[in-house]
Amino acid sequence: MDVLTVDEVRPFLTAFASLSPPSRVRLRLLEVPGAEGAGKSPAEPWESRLREEFISRFGPPLLPLPASLSTSRLFLALQLAPLYMHEGIRQAAIDLFTSQAFILGVCLSVMVYFSAWLAPEPIFSKAFAAALTFRLALVAGVLEIGQLALACLRLYRESEASTTRQELEAAARRFAYSMSGTYLRVLVTVATLGVARFIPQVPEAGIWRLLPSVSPDGLAVARSVTHLQMVADGSLIVSGVTASGATCSALAWCASASASGGSSPLSTRYGSPHTRQNPAHNEAIEKELAAREAAGHTDLRKNKAQTSAEGSRLFDQNPASKPRFRRPDVSSVRPDGTRHNTNYVSDPKDLQRELEAFEAMKRADPGAIHELYMPDGRLLQRYVPAGVHYPSSGT
């Protein structure tokens, strides 16, 4: 549920303004999605230009492209989706999706790029697509990109199958509910870089400012990737790149055509690395999540905003200091329906801050189990709500 503001997307709004005719969103939404002619009209020149550029960079589409994407059901569903997105990203999304050129970029992203993630072990052989995938994996995580791809494919299938306005709205709503600030950042990046030749000022204005930071070395190496494959366990196999510790440590496993060594890889089965500076912290989180999954826990979350057992976002109603919400290192829902949150003190110098965070998490969700551990595994604090069974650990 990360936040994305209008200020962050303003460079993209300016860049896309000249690529398509003025938006006719209100009129277009009155069209009947089940109409026989949906997507069959010839593409307008501006659309054809962007389509050709996108395909030249990413490779041929894996899903059939209609004659015109700008009159397709997918396009109409994407126009509706921002209205249902959560408050932290809704206004930024609404502003972005008023641009027909941007929506077209998202449509192409769904049908050309994200569809490639649907294979059991997707392969990116086009150099640009492989390099971008590698860069996104460094900053967003393999799991997140895969989940976004699944959400995109579901939107495509449901919108294409819709025959009424109500069915189209339902598809748009489900897609919007699955969207977070991180997912929207990835969507913006793929859609924009696919047509970057027509908006050369955008990368300088801040494409990478929209994503979490990554070391300059990591980005430099990512530009030389020529082939990338994601295997079933969530690892990436990369070739055509000289790997360094800064890049390999951000992936579950990295193999290169001319590897120059590097540090031990960080596990990313449950999400992107919590921190690259403290591998032990990240591995403790991954190990705990694996144990909970084996014990039948659901809604496994790694360093995500605190939520209730039902998945609702939670805030500290009486914060002693900012922020108003916390991100548990490990969070899951036990088989009995109780939320279980755990944090690890990454540095003993931060103990007071971690204790304050522990109390804030308790205030936000007194119905959940909360734990705080030292790096060596010693239990510092544990809170178990009344009526909830928790096995005695002897500590």
Side-chain angles (χ1 to χ4, degrees):
M1 303 296 286
D2 304 314
V3 171
L4 185 65
T5 67
V6 174
D7 288 340
E8 289 180 286
V9 302
R10 188 164 286 124
F12 301 95
L13 300 174
T14 303
F16 274 102
S18 62
L19 295 184
S20 62
S23 176
R24 301 189 299 276
V25 171
R26 293 186 182 277
L27 295 176
R28 298 296 297 282
L29 291 179
L30 296 177
E31 296 180 9
V32 179
E36 289 297 320
K40 294 183 179 180
S41 304
E44 296 181 19
W46 68 270
E47 178 184 340
S48 297
R49 182 177 56 152
L50 297 186
R51 284 167 65 134
E52 292 172 3
E53 171 65 9
F54 204 99
I55 292 172
S56 71
R57 295 172 76 81
F58 283 97
L62 299 181
L63 296 174
L65 283 177
S68 171
L69 277 166
S70 61
T71 60
S72 67
R73 297 180 182 90
L74 177 61
F75 194 97
L76 295 175
L78 286 168
Q79 286 181 321
L80 286 166
L83 302 176
Y84 303 106
M85 292 183 185
H86 74 82
E87 184 178 352
I89 64 174
R90 185 185 303 126
Q91 191 55 55
I94 289 174
D95 286 13
L96 279 171
F97 282 72
T98 57
S99 165
Q100 292 190 67
F102 176 75
I103 300 177
L104 178 66
V106 175
C107 286
L108 290 166
S109 300
V110 172
M111 304 184 76
V112 177
Y113 176 72
F114 288 110
S115 60
W117 283 81
L118 305 175
E121 294 189 356
I123 296 175
F124 299 90
S125 55
K126 186 82 171 180
F128 180 84
L132 178 59
T133 303
F134 188 63
R135 294 157 87 176
L136 290 174
L138 288 177
V139 295
V142 173
L143 179 62
E144 282 79 3
I145 304 173
Q147 290 176 334
L148 174 58
L150 289 174
C152 288
L153 177 70
R154 184 176 65 182
L155 176 66
Y156 167 77
R157 288 174 172 167
E158 292 181 349
S159 61
E160 286 298 298
S162 65
T163 57
T164 67
R165 169 65 180 264
Q166 290 71 28
E167 290 176 351
L168 191 72
E169 286 182 337
R173 189 182 302 112
R174 280 189 286 271
F175 176 75
Y177 288 170
S178 69
M179 194 60 50
S180 67
T182 298
Y183 287 1
L184 188 56
R185 285 180 171 90
V186 172
L187 205 61
V188 169
T189 302
V190 177
T192 306
L193 288 180
V195 295
R197 185 167 66 88
F198 296 113
I199 45 177
Q201 72 272 30
V202 169
E204 184 178 351
I207 268 191
W208 294 109
R209 184 172 59 83
L210 278 183
L211 289 162
S213 60
V214 65
S215 68
D217 290 342
L219 291 180
V221 171
R223 294 191 185 101
S224 67
V225 174
T226 58
H227 185 280
L228 182 145
Q229 178 180 6
M230 187 184 80
V231 296
D233 66 356
S235 305
L236 295 182
I237 300 177
V238 185
S239 62
V241 55
T242 301
S244 68
T247 55
C248 277
S249 63
L251 305 174
W253 184 71
C254 175
S256 74
S258 55
S260 60
S263 59
S264 300
L266 293 180
S267 301
T268 57
R269 178 181 179 186
Y270 296 96
S272 55
H274 181 276
T275 174
R276 297 181 180 87
Q277 287 70 44
N278 191 342
H281 192 157
N282 181 77
E283 298 311 303
I285 293 171
E286 290 275 330
K287 183 177 179 180
E288 178 64 21
L289 283 166
R292 294 190 186 185
E293 184 176 26
H297 288 221
T298 58
D299 194 22
L300 302 165
R301 298 168 62 85
K302 177 182 178 182
N303 191 34
K304 299 294 184 182
Q306 187 178 359
T307 62
S308 67
E310 294 75 26
S312 301
R313 182 80 177 271
L314 294 174
F315 297 90
D316 183 0
Q317 300 303 317
N318 187 28
S321 61
K322 293 183 177 180
R324 291 184 56 231
F325 68 93
R326 302 290 172 170
R327 296 175 180 269
D329 289 338
V330 175
S331 183
S332 63
V333 176
R334 303 195 320 172
D336 66 358
T338 305
R339 172 69 67 179
H340 187 175
N341 297 317
T342 299
N343 270 343
Y344 298 91
V345 179
S346 57
D347 188 331
K349 293 184 295 184
D350 298 328
L351 179 57
Q352 185 57 42
R353 186 185 67 188
E354 296 289 355
L355 289 170
E356 291 173 358
F358 178 83
E359 294 300 322
M361 288 167 58
K362 284 172 52 181
R363 289 194 297 269
D365 190 4
I369 297 171
H370 302 285
E371 295 177 313
L372 180 64
Y373 287 91
M374 289 295 288
D376 60 7
R378 286 183 293 122
L379 178 66
L380 282 177
Q381 296 277 353
R382 175 181 290 146
Y383 166 81
V384 180
V388 174
H389 172 70
Y390 194 95
S392 175
S393 62
T395 59

